[in-house]
Amino acid sequence: MEEELSFNDLLINITGVIDDFMYTYILVFLLVIVGVWFTVRTKAVQIRYIKDMFTQLVEKKHVEGKKSISSFQALMVSTASRVGTGNIAGIATAIAAGGPGAVFWMWLMAIVGSASAFIESTLAQIFKVKADEGSFRGGPAYYIQQGLGKRWLGVIFAIALILCFAFGFNGLQAFNMASSLEHYIPDYATNGTAVALGLVTCVFTAFVIFGGAKRISIITSIIVPIMAIAYIALAIWTTLTNVGEIPAVFALIFESAFDFQSIAGGFAGSVVMLGIKRGLFSNEAGMGSAPNAAATASVSHPCKQGLVQSLSVYIDTLVICTCSAMMVLIFFVQNPELAASYDGMALVQQAVNNSVGEVGIHFITFAIFAFAFSSIIGNYFYAESNIRFISTNKWVLLIFRLFCLAAIFYGAVNSFALAWNLADIFMGFMAIINLVAIMLLGKWALKALDDYTRQRRQGIDPVFVADSIPGLPRTECWHMDHVDSYGEQPIKEYLDEALDAHGEVDGLQ
């Protein structure tokens, strides 16, 4: 007689089937097709304008105000959300489950996906709305409502984002925090440790989301950036001190990446699929999350923030994820049998232990707690902005916050498979809606890019005025009667000077 499945096992099986179907037959093709399409249509903007990505970081705020933020600050907001446990546990999971070749497919998807990131963040800038004291807000829900004229679809996206970030990702961050304790407490999941951690995390999170954010802002504004730099430094030191293993590491990556017999034998669990799934979880290109941060930047042209957000994808995957991959793969090369016996967070901890000793495990554990808690707070505020898009009722917000706390607690005591399955499914629904939306609205981002390119070629620091693009749906922030100034100079005066210096500027004469 077969043993009946527990409710948790049943959930794992059901979510696993949905997860595999969604990525194998829908999302992987959408991600690749949309990324390649916009790479071609933008003439590889993510490559030819790499220099501009960096120059835009030092640009001053276009609109002054107490709550307005610069392009660099918006980049930090989105990067803080991206750089979490997905950069550590996610990479280890992909390597353990799909093989070292998953790293190659992450790299490729970062380059291709950064074109989608440019489009979605440029659209977020075009269709952003004014908030208070010089600040802005926006994102896919807003450009779906304004660009497509379909608020109902914007609401559906907002719900998908809320499920993804407030429940899926935050539950997963809590799970990764708990699993990092396995080295110290092997039976943490059954002896009450996970429950205690879940409760403590809920208390600290509640302290922030119910109004105490400033009291612990040191965690997100100082400790986490320091930990990120320290993490990269550790990875570089590990790589340099094991430089003789690098050829073997790259051989592992490319041999596994192009093992077509293995790929054909089980595509859903192959290096290609795991690389794309974990890469999307990590860098979020095309998923529709980063545009929520991109819209808040005060810049003179939407494409400037689009380029900056493309840079964020590179920072996340080509820098930080590669750091994690190198530490793990050096461990695989030096001790393959031992490495194969670990998974997820434990694999990263043992990889660092292999390189620097026991202190490395403690460092990774501390980094995980810092990154995970920072991501929980960042994810919450992404979700809250979309709750406010749906409703401003205070009771709706209160109920939402309580559900967020419940999701964090459940994540801490959850199982490994279910945590990843739920995060993948919610992320998949959100990405599908956003990818379809940017395909329908992408023409406006492409026209904005043409406008940016024309002004760049004429030696002008690009300034966007929506009236220069015929047919563009009415926007709140970019029409001549709403664009007040370029820095400290009135916009009309700036454009008149540009015309005098360079002759007619297409679309602005």
Side-chain angles (χ1 to χ4, degrees):
M1 182 176 178
E2 293 186 6
E3 185 179 346
E4 289 188 12
L5 290 175
S6 68
F7 177 70
N8 200 62
D9 289 337
L10 185 61
L11 275 180
I12 291 173
N13 291 342
I14 293 173
T15 55
V17 171
I18 296 172
D19 184 6
D20 289 344
F21 177 84
M22 179 182 292
Y23 281 85
T24 305
Y25 298 105
I26 302 175
L27 193 52
V28 63
F29 298 106
L30 268 179
L31 282 167
V32 174
I33 289 169
V34 173
V36 171
W37 171 255
F38 284 125
T39 296
V40 173
R41 291 299 310 278
T42 62
K43 300 175 183 176
V45 65
Q46 73 271 39
I47 297 173
R48 63 189 178 95
Y49 275 144
I50 286 180
K51 181 181 177 181
D52 284 35
M53 293 178 188
F54 291 94
T55 57
Q56 304 310 333
L57 293 180
V58 296
E59 181 176 291
K60 294 182 179 179
K61 294 186 292 187
H62 175 50
V63 175
E64 295 301 323
K66 291 183 179 179
K67 294 187 178 181
S68 65
I69 69 173
S70 67
S71 180
F72 177 76
Q73 288 170 321
L75 172 67
M76 290 299 98
V77 171
S78 61
T79 302
S81 178
R82 282 188 170 111
V83 178
T85 58
N87 300 82
I88 303 175
I91 307 308
T93 299
I95 292 172
V103 177
F104 171 81
W105 295 103
M106 285 184 194
W107 290 338
L108 186 62
M109 282 308 301
I111 296 171
V112 173
S114 58
S116 301
F118 169 81
I119 294 293
E120 65 180 356
S121 294
T122 299
L123 287 172
Q125 271 287 323
I126 292 173
F127 293 106
K128 67 184 180 183
V129 300
K130 293 181 179 179
D132 56 338
E133 299 184 73
S135 65
F136 304 97
R137 65 174 182 268
Y142 292 85
Y143 58 66
I144 289 171
Q145 175 176 285
Q146 296 183 69
L148 296 177
K150 300 185 184 300
R151 176 173 170 77
W152 63 269
L153 187 57
V155 170
I156 291 176
F157 173 85
I159 293 171
L161 183 144
I162 291 163
L163 290 173
C164 179
F165 278 84
F167 305 135
F169 282 5
N170 274 356
L172 184 56
Q173 298 290 355
F175 169 80
N176 284 329
M177 291 172 71
S179 65
S180 69
L181 297 175
E182 186 172 10
H183 173 76
Y184 309 95
I185 310 171
D187 57 344
Y188 76 94
T190 57
N191 69 359
T193 302
V195 172
L197 177 64
L199 290 173
V200 170
T201 305
C202 285
V203 169
F204 275 94
T205 303
F207 185 69
V208 177
I209 68 178
F210 282 100
K214 291 184 179 179
R215 301 174 191 174
I216 60 169
S217 61
I218 187 173
I219 292 177
T220 55
S221 63
I222 298 177
I223 294 179
V224 172
I226 290 174
M227 290 303 299
I229 293 170
Y231 183 73
I232 294 171
L234 174 64
I236 292 173
W237 186 87
T238 299
T239 303
L240 292 178
T241 54
N242 294 278
V243 69
E245 311 288 6
I246 301 304
V249 167
F250 278 95
L252 267 180
I253 291 173
F254 289 105
E255 286 173 9
S256 175
F258 298 100
D259 183 357
F260 294 111
Q261 183 176 354
S262 174
I263 292 170
F267 187 65
S270 70
V271 291
V272 180
M273 187 61 62
L274 268 297
I276 291 174
K277 285 167 70 175
R278 296 284 76 80
L280 177 59
F281 175 77
S282 175
N283 66 51
E284 303 174 15
M287 196 172 78
S289 53
N292 291 273
T296 64
S298 176
V299 292
S300 67
H301 199 291
C303 289
K304 291 183 176 182
Q305 198 59 29
L307 290 169
V308 167
Q309 296 306 132
S310 293
L311 176 63
S312 183
V313 174
Y314 289 159
I315 292 171
D316 177 273
T317 303
L318 301 185
V319 178
I320 298 177
C321 286
T322 299
C323 286
S324 296
M326 294 305 293
M327 289 191 292
V328 168
L329 290 177
I330 286 171
F331 183 33
F332 263 88
V333 168
Q334 294 179 338
N335 203 331
E337 291 186 5
L338 181 61
S341 66
Y342 292 100
D343 194 0
M345 200 60 64
L347 175 56
V348 182
Q349 289 174 318
Q350 293 303 319
V352 177
N353 179 55
N354 178 67
S355 298
V356 301
E358 184 77 13
V359 67
I361 295 180
H362 306 322
F363 172 82
I364 290 296
T365 303
F366 183 76
I368 284 298
F369 272 79
F371 288 153
F373 185 70
S374 173
S375 292
I376 284 173
I377 301 306
N379 292 345
Y380 166 79
F381 284 112
Y382 270 172
E384 184 185 286
S385 69
N386 281 268
I387 278 286
R388 293 183 183 278
F389 174 83
I390 298 171
S391 173
T392 56
N393 185 291
K394 65 179 182 179
W395 292 108
V396 171
L397 185 60
L398 175 62
I399 294 170
F400 162 69
R401 286 171 172 171
L402 294 175
F403 271 108
C404 284
L405 297 176
I408 291 169
F409 177 78
Y410 184 64
V413 300
N414 204 347
S415 72
F416 180 79
L418 186 57
W420 277 114
N421 286 352
L422 288 174
D424 281 342
I425 290 170
F426 293 147
M427 177 175 65
F429 277 122
M430 179 178 157
I432 289 169
I433 296 170
N434 184 61
L435 290 169
V436 171
I438 65 174
M439 283 294 284
L440 295 173
L441 293 170
K443 61 181 180 180
W444 303 121
L446 293 171
K447 290 181 183 295
L449 177 59
D450 290 340
D451 177 71
Y452 177 88
T453 302
R454 281 195 297 266
Q455 295 186 58
R456 282 272 280 98
R457 286 175 178 169
Q458 294 179 323
I460 299 172
D461 185 9
V463 175
F464 184 70
V465 178
D467 307 77
S468 66
I469 299 182
L472 179 66
R474 183 70 180 175
T475 64
E476 183 174 320
C477 300
W478 295 104
H479 285 269
M480 184 68 80
D481 54 342
H482 285 139
V483 180
D484 301 321
S485 65
Y486 176 60
E488 298 178 354
Q489 187 177 28
I491 187 69
K492 190 175 187 308
E493 180 183 317
Y494 173 81
L495 293 175
D496 286 343
E497 287 184 8
L499 291 171
D500 290 340
H502 300 281
E504 289 190 348
V505 180
D506 292 342
L508 297 177
Q509 63 266 35

